[in-house]
Amino acid sequence: MSVPEETVRPAAFLLDLYGTLVDIHTDENQPSLWKRMAGFVLSRGADWEDKALHRAYLEAVHQEEERLRLRDRGIPHAHGEIDLALVFARLYGEKGVRADAALIAETALAFRKAATCHIRLYAGAKELLAVLRQRGRVILLSNAQSLFTRPELEMLGLTDCFDSIYISSEAGFKKPDPRFYRLALEREGLAPEDCLMIGNDPICDGAGARAVGIPAYVIRSGISPRGITEGYDQAGMDLKKLKRFLCV
């Protein structure tokens, strides 16, 4: 799919985060992570052996996903999103530790730090956000865990670049679920045709947005889904090309 010849002038821009503005690589299966986390939770009173902790984590995630599947049974195009806060609380609870919000947040940060191989802004990301904000409202719509993403937005200096922030773990559903898009539209008082979705996934960001009437501009980045060739508007993050498309 090529970029349309005509330019667009939306009143609001919905942006994906990871793979669009932020380059990130994480690995939750590396043995070193679970050794570190076993030591971390032990220091907080939960005596887990590293391999058992990994298995219990996967089982807790699976059970949360099953719970959401039952909740959303019969809802067309449902894509539920779990909240890892419930998973971490369960892991502590199984060892008799009552974890409050502060301990959950601390554990999540330790987990994310151990899992992250690299995280950085794509070149031109902040400049893009500044340009878009001159033209309209800038809204983040991210499939992510709030426990990880809100601290990372602060670390990368992005929090104040958005007028509003929507994170799937807080909503309970994720792109391409129409409920996630409609949640943002309703809360922001926006009509679909007045927005533009910008993301790196032709299904979640492209087809998901278009299914509710939001035009979409989809880029290909280093962490775009592999094996999907349709639905991309360009070969990479090209700020000049996007600015031309938006007539700015």
Side-chain angles (χ1 to χ4, degrees):
M1 180 186 299
S2 60
V3 178
E5 292 295 327
E6 68 275 10
T7 55
V8 296
R9 295 177 178 273
F13 303 92
L14 309 179
L15 283 104
D16 174 57
L17 183 64
Y18 300 111
T20 301
L21 301 171
V22 175
D23 181 21
I24 188 170
H25 175 60
T26 62
D27 182 0
E28 295 182 2
N29 292 313
Q30 53 186 308
S32 61
L33 180 154
W34 296 102
K35 287 184 186 220
R36 288 184 196 177
M37 290 310 300
F40 181 92
V41 298
L42 177 61
S43 69
R44 273 70 178 174
D47 187 5
W48 281 101
E49 183 269 332
D50 56 334
K51 292 181 181 177
L53 178 60
H54 190 184
R55 288 193 299 269
Y57 171 83
L58 294 176
E59 176 59 24
V61 167
H62 174 71
Q63 291 199 7
E64 280 300 304
E65 290 173 342
E66 284 298 312
R67 180 181 65 81
L68 292 187
R69 272 192 279 273
L70 289 172
R71 179 200 69 180
D72 294 342
R73 188 167 50 192
I75 298 176
H77 313 296
H79 288 77
E81 177 72 288
I82 71 170
D83 184 349
L84 281 180
L86 300 175
V87 170
F88 291 129
R90 175 175 170 175
L91 295 176
Y92 277 111
E94 288 188 21
K95 295 298 182 177
V97 177
R98 219 172 150 181
D100 59 14
L103 178 55
I104 294 295
E106 186 183 21
T107 304
L109 286 176
F111 180 89
R112 185 67 159 184
K113 182 177 179 181
T116 300
C117 304
H118 73 253
I119 181 170
R120 54 185 171 247
L121 289 173
Y122 282 118
K126 275 197 172 180
E127 292 83 353
L128 171 63
L129 292 172
V131 166
L132 297 181
R133 215 162 191 192
Q134 291 172 0
R135 292 293 313 280
R137 290 153 71 185
V138 177
I139 299 164
L140 181 67
L141 199 68
S142 179
N143 284 357
Q145 289 293 318
S146 180
L147 287 168
F148 303 155
T149 298
R150 290 195 178 272
E152 287 171 357
L153 288 171
E154 288 288 340
M155 177 188 70
L156 295 167
L158 290 180
T159 301
D160 293 336
C161 295
F162 298 100
D163 295 294
S164 300
I165 293 172
Y166 294 89
I167 299 175
S168 59
S169 70
E170 296 173 352
F173 31 76
K174 60 188 175 182
K175 300 174 291 183
D177 196 314
R179 292 176 295 176
F180 198 23
Y181 285 98
R182 289 177 184 138
L183 173 70
L185 292 174
E186 289 169 8
R187 289 189 180 175
E188 301 298 320
L190 292 165
E193 61 271 19
D194 293 331
C195 303
L196 176 69
M197 179 70 205
I198 301 172
N200 76 305
D201 187 317
I203 295 175
C204 291
D205 302 316
R210 292 171 184 135
V212 296
I214 301 172
Y217 185 94
V218 182
I219 65 169
R220 185 191 297 278
S221 72
I223 56 176
S224 290
R226 295 182 180 180
I228 299 175
T229 57
E230 297 299 321
Y232 286 103
D233 287 334
Q234 65 181 92
M237 172 64 84
D238 184 339
L239 178 58
K240 291 182 180 178
K241 189 173 184 180
L242 180 53
K243 287 169 70 175
R244 286 197 303 272
F245 172 65
L246 297 171
C247 198
V248 294

